[in-house]
Amino acid sequence: MKFVYKIVLSLSVLFFSVATLKAQETNILVKGEVLNGQTGAPIEFASVALLNKTTKKPITGATADIQGLFEIQTSANSFLVEISSIGFNNLTIKEFSIENGVVNIGQVKLEENNMLFEEVVVRAEKSQTEFELDKRVFNVGKDLSTTGASALEILNNVPSVNVSIEGEISLRGSGGVQILINGKPSVMASGEGNALGTITADMIEKIEVITNPSAKYDAEGTSGIINIIIKKDERKGFNGSVSLNTGIPDSHSIGISLNRRTEKFNLFSQLGAGYRSLPSKMENINQDLVNNEIINSKGTEYRNETFYNFILGTDYHLNEYNVFTLSGNFAYEIEDGPSRTDYSMLDAQNQVVSEWYREEATEANNPKYQYDFQYKRDFKDHKDHTLLASAVGSFFGKDQSSQFGNTYTFGTGDLNDQQTRTNFKEAENLFKVDYTHPFSDAFTWELGSQYVINDVSNDYSVSDEIGGEYVENAALTNLFEYNQKVFAAYTTGSYEAEKWGVKLGVRMESTDLNTYLATTNVSNSQKYNNLFPSLHTTLKVSKEFSVQAGYSSRIYRPRLWDLNPFFNIRNNFNVRTGNPELLPEYTDSYELTAIYLLDKLSLNGAIYYRMTDDVVERISTFEDGVTYTKPTNIGTNKSTGLEINGKLTAAKWLTFNGDFNYSMFKREGSLEAVLFDFSADRWSTRLNAKIGLPKDIDVEVSGNYRSKVRTLQGEESQQVYADFGIRKKILKGRGVVNLSVRDVLASRIGKSETVQPEFYVYSSRQRGRFIALGFSYGFGKGEAMEYSGARRRN
């Protein structure tokens, strides 16, 4: 029945799309000149927009040239003309005549408003959240917690989003989130790459959270999509900024951003370099409940990196309607990991049998590059009538060697010293075409397709020291090859009036996945085709109150490390492996959202329900004191949740942001005659206070709490932590000095327990307190923008 339902909905979308095929062919030319009302001088690059008379929504627009002159072509015959520029009062022209297809506005004089800029800044700080038909948009440019931070830290301040200590991103408590950069997959958002490491706080304009994506987006990601929008400087002339940062633990960087824009070209570049160190304290307990033997381990793991990053790109405006963009990004990291873990083995009487420590010395070189080519074609009849074609290619490599040495300080044992070698290569290429055609202000039709090719090779070997020589361990050595191709095509149709809107869509995806273990000559092939329908609607009950509802069908395809059966031997008593036979997860997601806006208070509440089949869970087994963890498809998960986000402007100098999320879920499934049926719940909350002090000083404090939750085999602990930041503008706003402290009380500790009849496993990990101090300065027409080195996730 579900498949039949998807077919019916797909046909409905196609019918709806065809039914909207109508357009007006009449072209009208609107022209004029924008002048300063006080001096009579031309206002360069003033914005001119044509608005629908009824809905006041933009139809099309243009920017005046250096002489204040503008011309706009439109097919609409009923509109308003709105003219604006920073530092001037907006002017709306309602009455004009059309003669021979031309509207000549003549000279338009704008009056200066010296207070306008400050008012815009205040509104930008107040308006962090926007709502669109199928997404929520969080503007982060004025979020103090982003100062000196990485993209992962910014995401951790977005409502509904959580970033774990290890950098794993979840949405409403669930994984399987797809991360996009400017609407496209990127090596910068790859778990196997630098994990958003090249994206810094100054580069991010806004973050779109799409919990129920429409058919336009990839069906990948059962929890939804997070789309990070990167700033693109549109100011003409030369702009730039330079930043210096330092921190504890070591986090030192220098960054330079440059932008040069003319009428035809926009050349942009960024150059960054630095050194960072991220220690991680960990503790593990492995207890055999049959014979009561215990292995304890405790230590600090390090991954230190010297990094270099270079971005160069250009936009070429062939004419008013055609733009070509070409950019490249190259990064190089030199990595070393001096780590030590202390072990102790206890017998059934809790007496120490042996003690030893395991030292690791790791060195790696990690090259990474990406190209991005894009062609955008705008059409005269409507500003949203566009054709967008793009090609994105990326490569990430890792050439790594590790030495592990075991030294006994009490008792004896049979552990050997070991060496590992890793040669990892990943290449991904994406080709995409999107076409958007608004047939009127209310009706819009979209269609497009894309093809993604992902090739990975992981050559991994382990050698054991035997008799003074290192001998390759065939059981732990292999070449794993991974190749996945996904072809997709979609269409959507939408109707959006002043009070009510609806968007329907369907997406088809065909997946061809192949894995191969070269040493053991074992291959696995999976091919499947799927339809993913979507439906979204919104109702604006009043200016203050709106309701949104949505449905989408999603997929979560197993990643490389989910499939690769080989592992890192950093801790050889807690081993995580992949599963080449892992199947994808499928999720049907439903959501109802209400938005309530007042002068000083805004509230957003949502009720959601998700039904997931073939859920991927990590199952732990125990043998000879070693815990083996492996992903496996087990049954279904039904999750129901409530989410509330709110913002209160208590005073001009004091703003509160808060969110609360509660979910309850029911798990059903079995593995090898063992039932895993249970129900549980979890809740989290966050409160953020932003305080504006005299002398251009801003202070921000946030507190976070996440409750404990039952897992398939045990429990994850609660987490409580706080962050702090302070920022001071200097040099007439050109310079910014900022200080931020993450996890002020060093209380953010991730703990988990696995409790089974035959064994008990406890693990904890703590990153600790991070302190960052930065200075940035903007020159030319630029503003101060911070650059900071972010951290890899893998």
Side-chain angles (χ1 to χ4, degrees):
M1 289 298 295
K2 184 183 292 186
F3 183 77
V4 173
Y5 163 76
K6 292 183 178 182
I7 290 292
V8 172
L9 183 54
S10 303
L11 293 175
S12 300
V13 171
L14 292 174
F15 175 80
F16 176 81
S17 302
V18 173
T20 63
L21 293 175
K22 59 189 184 69
Q24 299 179 10
E25 300 296 336
T26 304
N27 286 325
I28 296 175
L29 175 66
V30 181
K31 64 180 183 178
E33 182 181 9
V34 186
L35 304 176
N36 185 316
Q38 275 70 35
T39 66
I43 298 179
E44 302 177 8
F45 315 126
S47 297
V48 184
L50 305 186
L51 309 181
N52 181 280
K53 275 191 174 183
T54 304
T55 66
K56 303 300 188 293
K57 290 186 176 181
I59 299 172
T60 185
T63 302
D65 62 17
I66 196 170
Q67 301 298 326
L69 300 173
F70 66 88
E71 290 187 354
I72 305 174
Q73 291 276 358
T74 181
S75 60
N77 53 24
S78 178
F79 52 84
L80 307 175
V81 182
E82 184 178 82
I83 304 174
S84 61
S85 182
I86 293 177
F88 295 86
N89 292 323
N90 291 359
L91 179 64
T92 301
I93 301 174
K94 302 179 179 180
E95 301 296 333
F96 48 80
S97 59
I98 303 176
E99 298 180 4
N100 298 321
V102 177
V103 175
N104 190 350
I105 302 296
Q107 292 185 342
V108 179
K109 297 183 178 181
L110 301 185
E111 301 300 320
E112 294 181 359
N113 184 347
N114 295 327
M115 296 299 294
L116 183 60
F117 181 74
E118 287 188 18
E119 291 173 359
V120 170
V121 172
V122 171
R123 285 199 298 268
E125 291 180 346
K126 289 182 179 180
S127 181
Q128 289 185 332
T129 306
E130 299 174 355
F131 298 91
E132 298 182 10
L133 187 60
D134 58 351
K135 70 185 73 172
R136 288 182 291 169
V137 180
F138 297 90
N139 298 298
V140 298
K142 294 297 181 179
D143 186 351
L144 182 59
S145 64
T146 68
T147 303
S150 71
L152 288 175
E153 293 170 291
I154 297 172
L155 286 172
N156 208 36
N157 285 296
V158 174
S160 307
V161 180
N162 184 73
V163 182
S164 73
I165 295 177
E166 283 71 34
E168 297 176 350
I169 300 171
S170 60
L171 184 58
R172 290 177 173 167
S174 298
V177 184
Q178 186 189 22
I179 309 298
L180 303 178
I181 308 297
N182 289 337
K184 295 176 290 186
S186 169
V187 68
M188 293 186 287
S190 168
E192 293 76 39
N194 197 34
L196 308 179
T198 60
I199 301 180
T200 54
D202 63 289
M203 298 168 64
I204 299 177
E205 177 181 343
K206 59 186 178 181
I207 295 176
E208 298 176 344
V209 177
I210 311 170
T211 51
N212 262 330
S214 71
K216 179 177 181 178
Y217 298 95
D218 283 352
E220 180 74 25
T222 53
S223 296
I225 293 171
I226 296 174
N227 185 23
I228 301 173
I229 306 297
I230 305 299
K231 292 177 181 177
K232 182 172 288 187
D233 201 327
E234 293 297 333
R235 290 165 294 190
K236 286 183 172 62
F238 178 72
N239 316 303
S241 67
V242 60
S243 287
L244 297 171
N245 291 276
T246 187
I248 302 173
D250 288 329
S251 180
H252 318 294
S253 66
I254 180 171
I256 301 174
S257 299
L258 300 173
N259 179 266
R260 177 74 171 93
R261 185 173 180 85
T262 65
E263 199 69 33
K264 291 285 188 180
F265 278 96
N266 177 35
L267 184 67
F268 52 92
S269 65
Q270 291 191 336
L271 178 65
Y275 173 80
R276 56 201 170 202
S277 175
L278 185 63
S280 177
K281 296 180 180 179
M282 62 85 186
E283 181 178 358
N284 294 278
I285 300 173
N286 288 12
Q287 183 174 4
D288 189 330
L289 298 180
V290 176
N291 57 31
N292 286 323
E293 291 182 348
I294 300 174
I295 297 177
N296 294 327
S297 60
K298 181 184 295 186
T300 303
E301 299 175 350
Y302 290 88
R303 182 176 286 164
N304 308 323
E305 288 177 345
T306 301
F307 62 93
Y308 308 91
N309 182 53
F310 177 66
I311 299 174
L312 179 65
T314 184
D315 297 321
Y316 173 60
H317 295 258
L318 181 65
N319 51 44
E320 183 180 356
Y321 303 106
N322 294 275
V323 180
F324 295 91
T325 299
L326 178 64
S327 65
N329 175 21
F330 176 77
Y332 193 80
E333 298 161 352
I334 303 171
E335 177 185 325
D336 69 275
S339 304
R340 169 171 167 159
T341 305
D342 295 299
Y343 292 85
S344 63
M345 180 179 291
L346 290 74
D347 60 18
Q349 287 72 44
N350 209 33
Q351 298 297 313
V352 176
V353 176
S354 60
E355 292 180 335
W356 70 99
Y357 60 87
R358 181 175 176 86
E359 291 182 300
E360 173 190 354
T362 293
E363 295 181 351
N365 296 311
N366 308 320
K368 174 178 60 179
Y369 59 81
Q370 174 179 323
Y371 74 87
D372 190 338
F373 174 77
Q374 179 176 290
Y375 165 69
K376 184 180 181 183
R377 161 71 168 156
D378 294 319
F379 296 88
K380 295 181 179 181
D381 57 341
H382 198 285
K383 71 179 185 66
D384 292 327
H385 188 184
T386 61
L387 173 67
L388 184 65
S390 60
V392 180
S394 62
F395 171 83
F396 173 73
K398 175 184 281 290
D399 186 3
Q400 177 176 295
S401 62
S402 299
Q403 176 75 44
F404 297 91
N406 300 291
T407 303
Y408 280 87
T409 58
F410 178 79
T412 60
D414 57 358
L415 295 174
N416 297 318
D417 290 351
Q418 294 174 302
Q419 291 179 343
T420 66
R421 172 189 54 80
T422 302
N423 187 2
F424 177 86
K425 297 178 180 178
E426 178 181 19
E428 181 173 287
N429 291 280
L430 178 148
F431 307 95
K432 187 177 182 181
V433 177
D434 296 288
Y435 176 69
T436 302
H437 192 164
F439 291 103
S440 69
D441 292 331
F443 290 96
T444 301
W445 178 46
E446 298 174 313
L447 78 161
S449 66
Q450 75 174 33
Y451 186 55
V452 184
I453 306 171
N454 187 236
D455 277 304
V456 179
S457 174
N458 185 48
D459 188 357
Y460 179 73
S461 72
V462 177
S463 297
D464 299 319
E465 192 272 329
I466 301 175
E469 295 183 358
Y470 281 93
V471 179
E472 188 173 271
N473 188 330
L476 303 178
T477 300
N478 213 322
L479 171 62
F480 182 72
E481 296 180 351
Y482 167 98
N483 176 270
Q484 179 175 271
K485 302 181 180 71
V486 179
F487 172 78
Y490 75 89
T491 182
T492 72
S494 63
Y495 169 81
E496 189 170 8
E498 184 175 1
K499 294 290 187 179
W500 177 75
V502 63
K503 185 174 186 178
L504 300 98
V506 65
R507 186 181 187 90
M508 182 280 294
E509 292 193 353
S510 177
T511 305
D512 184 359
L513 171 64
N514 295 278
T515 64
Y516 178 59
L517 291 168
T519 306
T520 57
N521 196 29
V522 176
S523 61
N524 182 59
S525 178
Q526 298 181 30
K527 295 183 180 180
Y528 42 90
N529 302 310
N530 304 105
L531 284 177
F532 301 98
S534 65
L535 171 63
H536 297 82
T537 184
T538 182
L539 175 64
K540 298 177 182 178
V541 180
S542 65
K543 183 179 180 181
E544 295 81 17
F545 184 69
S546 300
V547 178
Q548 298 173 331
Y551 162 79
S552 68
S553 179
R554 314 292 300 155
I555 187 175
Y556 174 78
R557 298 181 181 89
R559 301 295 199 272
L560 166 69
W561 300 113
D562 296 325
L563 300 169
N564 188 354
F566 288 84
F567 53 88
N568 190 299
I569 59 172
R570 168 172 278 177
N571 187 327
N572 49 12
F573 286 90
N574 290 279
V575 176
R576 299 183 70 174
T577 70
N579 180 3
E581 298 179 355
L582 206 60
L583 299 174
E585 291 182 348
Y586 294 96
T587 296
D588 288 306
S589 180
Y590 305 83
E591 181 175 330
L592 178 63
T593 304
I595 305 161
Y596 189 55
L597 301 175
L598 291 174
D599 182 38
K600 295 184 177 182
L601 175 67
S602 62
L603 289 174
N604 170 37
I607 300 173
Y608 56 90
Y609 173 79
R610 288 197 296 261
M611 170 70 176
T612 304
D613 296 319
D614 294 327
V615 179
V616 176
E617 295 279 7
R618 297 195 176 273
I619 301 298
S620 296
T621 57
F622 193 80
E623 183 179 349
D624 296 330
V626 180
T627 304
Y628 298 91
T629 305
K630 177 181 178 180
T632 306
N633 296 101
I634 300 181
T636 62
N637 185 68
K638 300 176 182 178
S639 176
T640 304
L642 169 68
E643 181 183 38
I644 300 175
N645 303 316
K647 181 175 181 180
L648 173 64
T649 305
K652 290 183 178 180
W653 53 272
L654 179 61
T655 302
F656 293 100
N657 282 281
D659 64 78
F660 172 84
N661 187 64
Y662 172 81
S663 63
M664 54 184 179
F665 57 90
K666 183 178 181 180
R667 289 287 287 108
E668 295 179 343
S670 63
L671 179 65
E672 297 178 353
V674 178
L675 291 177
F676 289 102
D677 296 352
F678 71 97
S679 298
D681 61 359
R682 185 170 202 170
W683 65 278
S684 63
T685 187
R686 174 170 52 193
L687 181 62
N688 175 284
K690 186 172 182 179
I691 306 167
L693 301 177
K695 306 294 184 180
D696 284 327
I697 298 176
D698 287 326
V699 175
E700 186 167 315
V701 181
S702 64
N704 303 264
Y705 175 80
R706 191 176 186 184
S707 73
K708 65 180 181 181
V709 63
R710 181 180 173 183
T711 61
L712 207 64
Q713 293 181 292
E715 184 177 87
E716 292 181 2
S717 69
Q718 66 179 13
Q719 288 190 20
V720 185
Y721 60 97
D723 300 324
F724 169 81
I726 183 170
R727 178 175 62 184
K728 161 71 175 169
K729 291 183 179 180
I730 59 175
L731 304 175
K732 298 182 179 180
R734 289 282 188 179
V736 174
V737 178
N738 58 82
L739 172 68
S740 63
V741 184
R742 285 199 66 197
D743 195 4
V744 176
L745 303 176
S747 58
R748 191 179 184 186
I749 305 174
K751 301 177 182 179
S752 66
E753 291 181 305
T754 300
V755 183
Q756 295 295 291
E758 297 83 14
F759 65 95
Y760 167 82
V761 177
Y762 166 85
S763 66
S764 72
R765 183 176 292 269
Q766 181 184 22
R767 296 297 192 197
R769 184 184 299 109
F770 284 78
I771 302 174
L773 176 65
F775 168 75
S776 60
Y777 179 77
F779 52 88
K781 295 183 178 181
E783 297 177 354
M785 302 195 309
E786 297 80 29
Y787 175 94
S788 66
R791 191 60 217 178
R792 339 175 29 90
R793 281 172 55 191
N794 65 320

